[in-house]
Amino acid sequence: MASTWLRSLCLLTLYLTCGYGQDGKFSGPLKPMTFSIFEGQEPSQVIFQFKANSPAVRFELTGETDGIFMIEDNGLLYYTRTLDRETRVVHHLQLAALNSQGGVVEGPVPITIEVKDVNDNRPTFLQSRYEGSVRQNSRPGKPFMYVNATDLDDPATLNGQLFYQIVIQLPSVNNVRYFQINNKTGGISLTREGSQELDPVKNAFYNLVVSVKDMGGQSENSFSDTTSVDITVRENIWKAPEPVEITENSTDPHPIKITQVQWNDPGAYYSLVNKEKLPQFPFSIDQEGNIYVTQPLDREEKDSHVFFATAKDESGKLLAFPLDIQVKVIDINDNPPTCPSEVTVFEVQENEALGSNIGLFTAHDMDEANTVNSILKYKLVDQTPKIPSDGLFLIQEYEGKVQLGKHSLKKQDNPQYNLTVEVADRDFKTLCSVQVNVIDINDQIPIFEVSDYGNMTLSEDAAVGSTILVIQATDGDEPLTGSSKILYKVVQGDPEGRLEVTTDPQTNAGYVKIKKPLDFETEPVTSIVFKAENPEPLVDNVQYNASSFASFKLIVTDVNEAPVFPQRIFLAKVREDAAIGTKVGNVTARDPESLAVSYSLSGDKRGWLKIDSVTGEIFSAAPLDRETESVYRVQVEATEIAGSSLSTTAEFHLALTDVNDNPPRLAKEYTGLFFCHPLSAPQSLVFEATDDDQLSSWRPQFTFALGSASLQNDWEVSKINGTHARLSTKHTGFEERVYEIPILLSDGGQPPMEGTVSLSVTFCQCVEGSCFRPAGSHDGIPTVGMAVGILLTTFLVIGTILAVVFIRIKKDKGNDNVENPKSPETKPLRS
Ligand SMILES: *[C@@H]1O[C@H](CO)[C@@H](O)[C@H](O)[C@H]1NC(C)=O
Ligand SMILES: *[C@@H]1O[C@H](CO)[C@@H](O)[C@H](O)[C@H]1NC(C)=O
Ligand SMILES: *[C@@H]1O[C@H](CO)[C@@H](O)[C@H](O)[C@H]1NC(C)=O
Ligand SMILES: *[C@@H]1O[C@H](CO)[C@@H](O)[C@H](O)[C@H]1NC(C)=O
Ligand SMILES: *[C@@H]1O[C@H](CO)[C@@H](O)[C@H](O)[C@H]1NC(C)=O
Ligand SMILES: *[C@@H]1O[C@H](CO)[C@@H](O)[C@H](O)[C@H]1NC(C)=O
Ligand SMILES: *[C@@H]1O[C@H](CO)[C@@H](O)[C@H](O)[C@H]1NC(C)=O
Ligand SMILES: *[C@@H]1O[C@H](CO)[C@@H](O)[C@H](O)[C@H]1NC(C)=O
């Protein structure tokens, strides 16, 4: 009765620690003990009953009892008032047993009462209203303010774990959340949307209702509190400044301040990022955010710069997005015009008329195009010689076109004039040389040596840049002038511009070259027509005629390419027990010329496979065995049947999946198993089985049995787990000899495979834990144990009595191979 009552009380009040002591869960002798009790429980509950031994008659409880903990004379420890963890977390008490005179008989021993938390306190915000402000475009996730609640419950338990949440955001636009709160710290920050969209011009004031829950917010029974948070959005002054313009080639002392950035709060660390990775970065920033250019810039080298300015906190973390700083370099006219070459050479024919265009003279200016700094003016300032007169030539002021300024020239007057052209921009003048050669009239046309260069066959893979033909025309005009020089053009048959002709200036030979790859499929046969022309115009009454044209036929042939496999390696999978002739896979190759393809196999070293030479299907040709080759690798070859019998090889990998075709066996050779004879108690040994099959995701689950029913009186086999079993003796009356124990192993596979193995167990006398077998009683091959035995036999002859004593002392000792199934060891009680 009393014990039932105690037990139910105990279950009500005690947490876990009831089980102390050997006398029972709820009573026991005086010793140091720890109890855990939930706060807030009904009072007047028994915690434990201590038992006193005579002469003790009562107990005395001291320490932090707070008037709550009492002990009766009969040892009942109980508490009289509800415990409160928030008042005291642990009560340290001392308990002593006293005799009738009040003298301490036992103890005092420490008794510790831990008060366990229950969620009996609400979380409370420290303020009912919070105010904060955030800059527009602040980094998402970086808290700009905190709300903070407290909960008296144990923060190490869920009861004291607080969970913050934003319940309402006002105003709410399209339900977009601009603010987020860290559910553990109460830190309020902007969301990505908030960082992008908040704008004090549109709306500067937001109000949040934030709740806090205890129980980590995870329980329906958690307490909660709410607070109101007013947030002002302030303008972001961290903004990219206007693009800066810097005049190039400045002679002012550097560095020169060009612009400024500023972080929203003081104390930021500014730096620039050389985004364009210039080897020399000509900008710097100081810790007020002022940005400087450190050296004169050159627009002609780089006309604009873009880089980043960053603001970081003291730990080096970016406070916000980097700002783009854009610098445009303004041109000044610091470059004179330059001549196109040292001497520019023009030609003019004897008979050309007044105003004829002789050539275009173009100088260059590095300064910014289309500005006054680069607009050029041309002027002829000298003509040498002035024979028959000065002013034979004109140049157009802005265009640079050189024209004949007077009547036509005569070569016998003077064959060459040197002109000086002045080129001027706004500030600079440059003098350039122009040479005009007077040449014979162009009254002869180029005439091809042959009009038909015949047929030419090229394969479509002919190399780009190779010369395929040399053509030749001749011109009777003055050598080495524009009247006799020949330019060859392809005027028919090559709209794609696959060919080009270059002229040897000395011999006027034309080299026809491949400029772009030929394509059989577009145009297998083309008639090409060349025209030979002079750079100088022909005189009025002469025209190019058919003799200035020549043709040839270009025949592009297809290139025979080897068959192509769609993949380099073909993978296939088959069960290892597949019947001979099973299709295990197929390969296909395609010939680019659409020739038929024949398939063959190579590297089939085990002769397991054959291939259908027409379809590419692959079949098994012999029994397969995963235990021999888990992945069987052969090569497949595809050969064109006609054509040049080109062939291609690919890999064919056949993965063999396991089937259960191996019986289980012992995992190792168990030799030298022995028990010491005579047995003092039943013995046992552990052995392990294995299996050569390795079915994927298959963990062996062997079953074990004695192989012969007649052994069942002496032996027992019991399974430990899927791979291990124990062989035990059923009694101790075994002879001193070798026992062969057949064991039946089964692997439980599909289908199951069974195997019978044999364990040899020797019963022998033991010496120092080793097996001793008298010579003569053995059969079979001598073992190490027997060698020891023979040695010991000799030893025995010398000192029989001594040896007997020795053996008697040692014979009870167990050895490593034998497990003692019983463990009589008793553990000391915890105190
Ligand atoms: C919240 O208040 C508690 C108690 O005042 C204090 O220990 C804690 O540091 C505060 N936490 C924050 C984030 O201000
Ligand atoms: C609390 O916040 C963390 C990230 O700060 C998040 O991983 C977690 O899911 C949140 N807990 C709940 C219950 O929302
Ligand atoms: C700077 O200008 C001077 C003339 O004004 C010129 O000689 C010099 O080459 C210029 N430097 C660069 C880098 O353009
Ligand atoms: C023109 O100048 C070149 C050098 O540039 C010189 O060799 C040639 O003799 C000059 N011709 C005349 C006609 O002065
Ligand atoms: C050139 O080829 C054409 C067919 O394209 C053929 O008719 C002609 O006889 C061939 N000429 C020579 C010279 O081989
Ligand atoms: C083309 O003209 C030249 C003279 O300029 C003449 O010798 C030749 O025979 C002409 N050719 C044809 C095909 O008329
Ligand atoms: C094997 O043959 C089938 C049809 O016969 C075809 O769809 C498949 O693409 C072939 N596989 C390979 C790898 O060639
Ligand atoms: C099976 O039991 C043996 C002996 O107790 C142990 O060594 C082995 O780890 C066990 N194997 C598994 C898979 O539990």
Side-chain angles (χ1 to χ4, degrees):
M1 248 315 261
S3 121
T4 321
W5 173 76
L6 258 177
R7 174 179 300 248
S8 57
L9 266 181
C10 182
L11 288 176
L12 271 173
T13 50
L14 300 191
Y15 175 76
L16 280 175
T17 37
C18 282
Y20 276 63
Q22 279 302 305
D23 288 20
K25 293 196 168 192
F26 315 107
S27 64
L30 184 62
K31 62 180 176 175
M33 290 187 78
T34 301
F35 302 96
S36 298
I37 305 174
F38 276 110
E39 62 175 331
Q41 304 274 335
E42 287 292 311
S44 301
Q45 303 214 39
V46 172
I47 300 170
F48 195 81
Q49 180 163 32
F50 289 98
K51 290 196 177 143
N53 297 320
S54 162
V57 294
R58 60 189 178 91
F59 293 90
E60 180 186 55
L61 188 66
T62 53
E64 298 164 342
T65 61
D66 295 355
I68 299 173
F69 296 97
M70 306 280 181
I71 191 150
E72 299 278 308
D73 284 353
N74 63 6
L76 274 183
L77 175 66
Y78 62 102
Y79 61 100
T80 58
R81 272 194 281 132
T82 302
L83 298 179
D84 180 18
R85 195 200 66 88
E86 287 71 38
T87 310
R88 196 188 283 282
V89 177
V90 179
H91 293 263
H92 296 282
L93 310 175
Q94 285 84 40
L95 184 59
L98 309 180
N99 59 19
S100 49
Q101 283 77 46
V104 174
V105 182
E106 261 186 272
V109 298
I111 304 294
T112 309
I113 312 274
E114 292 170 355
V115 184
K116 303 290 274 187
D117 195 32
V118 299
N119 191 21
D120 56 354
N121 288 282
R122 303 165 55 104
T124 320
F125 277 108
L126 300 182
Q127 294 170 226
S128 63
R129 244 176 87 86
Y130 288 83
E131 278 180 19
S133 72
V134 61
R135 290 276 184 187
Q136 182 186 9
N137 303 126
S138 289
R139 196 150 56 86
K142 183 177 190 296
F144 56 86
M145 67 179 293
Y146 285 87
V147 294
N148 193 355
T150 53
D151 187 315
L152 293 175
D153 288 321
D154 185 355
T157 69
L158 263 187
N159 304 334
Q161 261 173 37
L162 300 185
F163 179 82
Y164 297 93
Q165 232 178 340
I166 295 176
V167 190
I168 299 172
Q169 167 195 308
L170 288 175
S172 159
V173 183
N174 301 329
N175 250 340
V176 179
R177 300 191 320 112
Y178 293 140
F179 302 93
Q180 58 190 354
I181 192 163
N182 182 310
N183 58 33
K184 289 220 166 61
T185 64
I188 300 178
S189 60
L190 294 187
T191 59
R192 186 162 298 283
E193 293 76 19
S195 171
Q196 285 164 5
E197 293 174 24
L198 282 184
D199 183 352
V201 177
K202 290 188 194 150
N203 183 33
F205 300 101
Y206 286 84
N207 176 261
L208 307 180
V209 175
V210 173
S211 79
V212 62
K213 291 181 179 167
D214 59 12
M215 307 291 287
Q218 300 311 301
S219 164
E220 287 194 358
N221 302 328
S222 50
F223 293 118
S224 70
D225 190 19
T226 58
T227 190
S228 165
V229 181
D230 290 327
I231 296 172
T232 310
V233 181
R234 290 190 293 148
E235 188 202 8
N236 182 11
I237 55 175
W238 178 248
K239 275 186 186 155
E242 291 293 304
V244 182
E245 298 193 336
I246 304 176
T247 301
E248 64 169 329
N249 209 349
S250 164
T251 51
D252 296 340
H254 284 75
I256 300 169
K257 177 176 168 181
I258 53 171
T259 187
Q260 184 169 17
V261 294
Q262 200 188 345
W263 176 242
N264 293 315
D265 306 305
Y269 294 85
Y270 299 105
S271 57
L272 297 183
V273 179
N274 179 4
K275 177 179 165 184
E276 299 174 307
K277 306 219 159 36
L278 302 179
Q280 265 207 321
F281 183 63
F283 301 97
S284 67
I285 192 166
D286 67 14
Q287 289 317 313
E288 268 74 60
N290 297 316
I291 299 178
Y292 301 90
V293 59
T294 55
Q295 66 192 55
L297 303 181
D298 181 8
R299 192 206 65 89
E300 284 70 46
E301 196 180 306
K302 188 159 170 40
D303 62 1
S304 67
H305 294 262
V306 178
F307 51 91
F308 288 140
T310 62
K312 297 179 179 172
D313 63 15
E314 54 288 340
S315 66
K317 268 177 87 176
L318 283 182
L319 290 163
F321 309 103
L323 300 181
D324 247 14
I325 312 292
Q326 296 185 9
V327 172
K328 183 170 187 300
V329 186
I330 301 299
D331 191 38
I332 62 167
N333 188 22
D334 57 353
N335 288 283
T338 51
C339 304
S341 62
E342 210 173 310
V343 180
T344 308
V345 179
F346 294 127
E347 284 182 345
V348 58
Q349 293 181 58
E350 282 192 322
N351 61 343
E352 285 191 40
L354 175 75
S356 290
N357 181 6
I358 296 173
L360 190 62
F361 183 80
T362 323
H364 180 69
D365 192 303
M366 297 242 289
D367 289 316
E368 190 171 359
N370 305 320
T371 67
V372 287
N373 297 338
S374 65
I375 287 190
L376 303 180
K377 279 164 84 173
Y378 301 96
K379 194 165 141 195
L380 251 177
V381 294
D382 189 35
Q383 169 196 321
T384 315
K386 298 177 175 45
I387 299 170
S389 64
D390 199 2
L392 293 177
F393 304 95
L394 302 172
I395 188 161
Q396 289 192 355
E397 191 176 13
Y398 289 100
E399 247 179 280
K401 190 157 116 185
V402 181
Q403 292 171 294
L404 207 52
K406 290 214 170 129
H407 46 77
S408 57
L409 301 176
K410 291 225 163 45
K411 200 174 169 186
Q412 59 263 42
D413 286 348
N414 192 48
Q416 188 177 64
Y417 295 90
N418 284 344
L419 309 179
T420 305
V421 176
E422 180 196 276
V423 188
D425 64 14
R426 203 182 52 179
D427 306 303
F428 298 96
K429 286 190 169 89
T430 305
L431 297 179
C432 299
S433 300
V434 175
Q435 185 176 314
V436 181
N437 295 322
V438 183
I439 61 170
D440 208 359
I441 54 170
N442 188 11
D443 55 2
Q444 301 289 317
I445 58 168
I447 297 196
F448 270 105
E449 284 178 341
V450 291
S451 64
D452 185 355
Y453 283 90
N455 290 354
M456 164 159 298
T457 305
L458 285 178
S459 73
E460 60 179 324
D461 62 353
V464 169
S466 58
T467 300
I468 59 169
L469 179 68
V470 182
I471 55 179
Q472 179 80 61
T474 52
D475 189 298
D477 287 315
E478 185 185 354
L480 305 178
T481 68
S483 297
S484 64
K485 186 177 178 186
I486 298 178
L487 302 179
Y488 297 97
K489 285 189 198 164
V490 179
V491 292
Q492 192 188 309
D494 186 24
E496 308 261 329
R498 297 181 193 275
L499 301 180
E500 67 176 346
V501 192
T502 56
T503 308
D504 180 330
Q506 302 299 321
T507 64
N508 268 340
Y511 297 92
V512 182
K513 296 182 185 170
I514 300 176
K515 194 175 168 191
K516 292 187 197 163
L518 304 178
D519 186 11
F520 167 79
E521 280 71 25
T522 332
E523 214 149 6
V525 180
T526 342
S527 290
I528 306 281
V529 177
F530 300 107
K531 182 185 181 192
E533 281 181 353
N534 297 129
E536 284 292 321
L538 295 171
V539 295
D540 276 350
N541 50 0
V542 178
Q543 261 112 39
Y544 294 105
N545 67 14
S547 300
S548 303
F549 293 85
S551 65
F552 92 112
K553 196 156 277 173
L554 177 61
I555 301 164
V556 179
T557 57
D558 199 8
V559 180
N560 186 21
E561 287 150 300
V564 183
F565 281 107
Q567 58 209 78
R568 219 171 54 72
I569 303 178
F570 292 86
L571 302 174
K573 201 153 111 179
V574 71
R575 285 166 60 93
E576 59 172 326
D577 62 351
I580 294 178
T582 304
K583 179 177 170 185
V584 298
N586 61 338
V587 297
T588 43
R590 201 187 70 82
D591 184 67
E593 286 77 41
S594 301
L595 296 176
V597 169
S598 143
Y599 301 95
S600 60
L601 280 184
S602 59
D604 182 16
K605 55 188 188 294
R606 298 195 184 272
W608 281 359
L609 300 178
K610 60 174 190 270
I611 192 164
D612 184 316
S613 66
V614 177
T615 63
E617 290 170 300
I618 299 175
F619 301 91
S620 68
L624 309 175
D625 182 21
R626 191 202 63 84
E627 286 71 33
T628 315
E629 301 266 359
S630 58
V631 178
Y632 190 54
R633 297 178 172 84
V634 298
Q635 289 78 47
V636 286
E637 192 169 58
T639 309
E640 295 174 350
I641 290 176
S644 346
S645 297
L646 294 176
S647 64
T648 309
T649 305
E651 293 280 319
F652 180 77
H653 291 180
L654 182 64
L656 299 176
T657 55
D658 200 16
V659 299
N660 191 24
D661 54 359
N662 286 285
R665 58 177 175 81
L666 289 174
K668 54 180 184 252
E669 278 192 43
Y670 287 94
T671 54
L673 298 176
F674 66 95
F675 293 132
C676 292
H677 186 269
L679 295 186
S680 56
Q683 299 285 325
S684 71
L685 53 85
V686 172
F687 63 94
E688 180 183 0
T690 186
D691 194 316
D692 295 318
D693 292 316
Q694 276 167 17
L695 300 172
S696 59
S697 76
W698 186 70
R699 297 187 59 203
Q701 277 301 333
F702 300 122
T703 55
F704 305 86
L706 277 176
S708 158
S710 62
L711 294 168
Q712 277 172 5
N713 293 334
D714 303 333
W715 299 91
E716 182 174 8
V717 173
S718 52
K719 178 170 174 172
I720 297 173
N721 54 31
T723 52
H724 289 68
R726 175 174 283 122
L727 175 67
S728 321
T729 62
K730 281 189 149 173
H731 53 83
T732 57
F734 287 86
E735 293 169 37
E736 186 176 350
R737 68 168 173 92
V738 179
Y739 287 79
E740 295 288 343
I741 319 294
I743 310 265
L744 194 62
L745 302 175
S746 172
D747 63 8
Q750 280 292 349
M753 294 292 289
E754 282 188 351
T756 304
V757 297
S758 178
L759 284 175
S760 292
V761 182
T762 306
F763 286 78
C764 57
Q765 294 187 29
C766 291
V767 177
E768 293 215 301
S770 295
C771 183
F772 169 74
R773 284 176 65 200
S777 71
H778 59 85
D779 42 28
I781 323 134
T783 62
V784 176
M786 281 160 49
V788 172
I790 292 161
L791 265 179
L792 283 172
T793 311
T794 318
F795 171 71
L796 277 169
V797 171
I798 300 166
T800 320
I801 299 169
L802 188 63
V804 167
V805 172
F806 183 67
I807 289 164
R808 281 196 65 83
I809 293 168
K810 295 291 178 184
K811 98 178 162 189
D812 285 343
K813 205 173 161 188
N815 69 52
D816 294 346
N817 269 11
V818 179
E819 259 195 4
N820 194 337
K822 247 194 188 169
S823 171
E825 184 189 22
T826 41
K827 294 202 172 98
L829 293 174
R830 196 138 59 111
S831 57

